[in-house]
Amino acid sequence: MKDVIIKEKILNHPIDKVWNAITNAKEISTWFLDADFKAEKGYQYIFNSSGENCSPIKGEVKQANPYTLVYSWIVTEAPIETTVKWVLEETEEGTKLYLEHSGISSYKGETAVEMFTSFNGGWDNCISGLTDYLKQMVHAG
């Protein structure tokens, strides 16, 4: 079973706008989930979802250097710690976004396969939401 989900996307937006979108609680709450989040090492965050099949996600920020963000990811209903890593890189087009979600094989048996599938689709939706949010920000500003 694969243990790591990797997503890469070139965004036609300045790196600081993308960084703010993935690290600012108000912005995260707009395009992803309701967030109590600070990009500060050691911060205990929580993402809350209003969906009926979604449980809160919590964890701790492990690293928050400019353009690299790493945090633990614990789904409260299935409390296994995995790791999410975002890396942003300036490009001629704007910003290259690299997302990695690892440690999924820590779940046991079929649950690992189910969580991998769920996370994989979830991150596709997440990046789509981020992309749409950044487009709206450009037109709003």
Side-chain angles (χ1 to χ4, degrees):
M1 190 206 122
K2 284 198 227 171
D3 186 49
V4 180
I5 294 168
I6 294 174
K7 305 291 180 183
E8 293 182 306
K9 177 122 179 126
I10 300 294
L11 300 165
N12 189 16
H13 303 282
I15 196 167
D16 287 326
K17 283 198 184 295
V18 179
W19 179 251
N20 289 339
I22 67 169
T23 60
N24 178 290
K26 185 176 178 184
E27 293 192 43
I28 296 166
S29 297
T30 301
W31 63 268
F32 186 43
L33 296 170
D34 181 43
D36 173 2
F37 189 89
K38 288 185 183 172
E40 298 171 2
K41 186 175 181 179
Y43 190 80
Q44 302 288 320
Y45 78 87
I46 187 163
F47 295 144
N48 286 300
S49 177
S50 57
E52 69 181 62
N53 291 327
C54 296
S55 61
I57 298 156
K58 59 185 178 177
E60 180 180 333
V61 176
K62 304 289 187 183
Q63 181 181 348
N65 301 333
Y67 314 130
T68 299
L69 176 65
V70 180
Y71 48 83
S72 59
W73 178 275
I74 303 167
V75 178
T76 53
E77 283 184 9
I80 299 292
E81 183 174 319
T82 59
T83 302
V84 173
K85 177 179 183 179
W86 300 81
V87 178
L88 304 180
E89 181 183 314
E90 249 178 318
T91 66
E92 288 183 21
E93 300 87 4
T95 303
K96 178 181 177 183
L97 177 144
Y98 172 87
L99 170 73
E100 177 183 292
H101 190 164
S102 61
I104 302 162
S105 64
S106 297
Y107 287 97
K108 301 294 179 222
E110 280 302 306
T111 302
V113 175
E114 291 167 12
M115 295 306 268
F116 186 92
T117 301
S118 174
F119 291 151
N120 193 42
W123 287 120
D124 286 338
N125 292 337
C126 175
I127 291 173
S128 177
L130 173 61
T131 302
D132 291 346
Y133 171 74
L134 290 166
K135 286 179 188 171
Q136 292 170 1
M137 289 282 295
V138 167
H139 296 299

